[in-house]
Amino acid sequence: MDASENLAGEMLEVDAFRRLFPLRFYERHLLESIRPDARPLGKARDTTVALGGVAFADGSALVKTGHTTMLADIKMEIITPSVGSRDEASLAIDFHMPPICSPLIRPGRPAEVAAIISKQLTDAIVSIHSHSHVLNRQDVYCLDADGSLFDAALLSAVAAFSHLHIPAISVNDDGRVVAVSEEEVESNLVKEPFNQSTRKLKLSCMPFSLTCILHKKHILADPTGEEESVMESFVTVVLDLSGQLVSFNKPGGPVLAYTSAVQDCIALTRQRVKELQNILNDAIADMELD
């Protein structure tokens, strides 16, 4: 009993120190190149991807990175694009942060970060979208906000596209572009779909990202919400599967004091891209087996 009471007392003291002096608490861990959750500084949290699950969507995915959880779904609408229209006009992405995702989000007041992440997702995803006859409306819902929101949101968006089933498209007697069912195609009740060979979206340039906190000489990959609130300087690197830089975002904080930090963040992102590609491939294989 005495040992248990002593341990409980020590845990209370550590928790109190963590709450009162959060930066000093983290810096003590950084001296040992470890984090409170026992991760090495450059290691991301465990990540899972589950495809499907949203019955009314044409493509969907659920992603968990640590406690951060995202649900992405895609709904498709057939359109007849105007002459000279660009493919970008046929893609709309909205990022949602309902109050359930965090006690910091108030009902009726959209989080400012939601609009920023919506724009970042659109900029990243537009490179893999190429169907001008289909309007893709993608919604990404944050179910649990515990840091690195954009990384998990982008992964869920890409995963939903990998699950996407593009409908057969034909032209009716009035000259309108319409979606047709498998039964209509097999029964020759409609003209042969002109997209028969392009109904599966090929994601040849999938973007993935990694957010890193930079604190003094330390780099912390995939920060939690608490880490982001304590150490304010962070960057987000987006790479494609070939390792090419898609974007580099540093929203705030002090100017980087050393350029090697950028190179280190990119190197960590390249490692993370390989991990995420394997995770997504496993999810696709599991879906095909089912």
Side-chain angles (χ1 to χ4, degrees):
M1 288 295 295
D2 290 341
S4 298
E5 291 176 356
N6 290 337
L7 179 60
E10 291 176 1
M11 292 178 64
L12 287 174
E13 290 180 3
V14 170
D15 186 62
F17 182 77
R18 183 174 190 166
R19 292 174 180 273
L20 293 172
F21 308 103
L23 183 57
R24 288 175 58 189
F25 174 81
Y26 272 94
E27 288 181 335
R28 286 192 177 185
H29 285 79
L30 294 179
L31 291 175
E32 304 296 330
S33 296
I34 199 71
R35 295 152 84 167
D37 60 7
R39 278 188 295 156
L41 302 189
K43 182 174 176 56
R45 292 168 291 177
D46 291 341
T47 300
T48 60
V49 175
L51 301 180
V54 180
F56 57 82
D58 296 295
S60 62
L62 178 69
V63 166
K64 283 182 65 67
T65 298
H67 292 298
T68 298
T69 306
M70 299 287 172
L71 176 66
D73 66 63
I74 304 173
K75 304 178 188 68
M76 308 186 71
E77 176 185 341
I78 306 303
I79 60 174
T80 302
S82 59
V83 177
S85 64
R86 302 178 61 188
D87 288 344
E88 287 85 345
S90 58
L91 175 64
I93 300 179
D94 288 312
F95 181 73
H96 308 272
M97 294 188 70
I100 191 177
C101 77
S102 169
L104 301 178
I105 305 300
R106 297 181 180 180
R109 298 184 62 183
E112 293 182 4
V113 70
I116 297 173
I117 294 180
S118 292
K119 177 63 167 58
Q120 291 176 319
L121 289 174
T122 301
D123 292 342
I125 294 295
V126 75
S127 62
I128 69 174
H129 183 265
S130 60
H131 290 266
S132 58
H133 289 285
V134 178
L135 173 62
N136 288 323
R137 298 186 182 277
Q138 186 170 53
D139 291 287
V140 180
Y141 298 91
C142 180
L143 305 182
D144 194 338
D146 187 28
S148 301
L149 301 187
F150 174 74
D151 299 344
L154 179 60
L155 177 58
S156 69
V158 170
F161 268 100
S162 71
H163 177 252
L164 180 63
H165 298 282
I166 301 170
I169 299 173
S170 184
V171 179
N172 64 13
D173 295 336
D174 298 328
R176 294 175 58 85
V177 178
V178 294
V180 294
S181 66
E182 298 289 348
E183 292 75 13
E184 290 175 316
V185 174
E186 295 174 358
S187 303
N188 296 320
L189 298 177
V190 296
K191 297 178 182 179
E192 181 179 354
F194 57 77
N195 68 328
Q196 193 66 28
S197 61
T198 59
R199 294 180 57 196
K200 183 63 177 177
L201 189 65
K202 295 182 179 180
L203 304 179
S204 58
C205 53
M206 287 187 287
F208 296 105
S209 65
L210 179 66
T211 296
C212 296
I213 278 182
L214 290 84
H215 184 71
K216 296 182 178 178
K217 293 294 184 178
H218 304 288
I219 298 177
L220 289 74
D222 181 29
T224 64
E226 183 180 31
E227 289 172 336
E228 288 181 344
S229 67
V230 172
M231 296 169 279
E232 298 178 350
S233 180
F234 61 94
V235 298
T236 298
V237 181
V238 182
L239 302 177
D240 62 19
L241 289 180
S242 66
Q244 295 299 311
L245 182 66
V246 175
S247 67
F248 182 90
N249 183 43
K250 186 180 184 300
V255 177
L256 296 179
Y258 51 104
T259 57
S260 62
V262 175
Q263 298 173 344
D264 292 340
C265 290
I266 292 175
L268 287 173
T269 306
R270 287 199 173 99
Q271 297 176 12
R272 182 60 171 163
V273 166
K274 295 178 181 178
E275 294 175 4
L276 295 178
Q277 183 182 9
N278 291 333
I279 291 171
L280 182 55
N281 287 340
D282 289 343
I284 295 172
D286 290 342
M287 179 191 65
E288 291 174 348
L289 288 176
D290 294 339

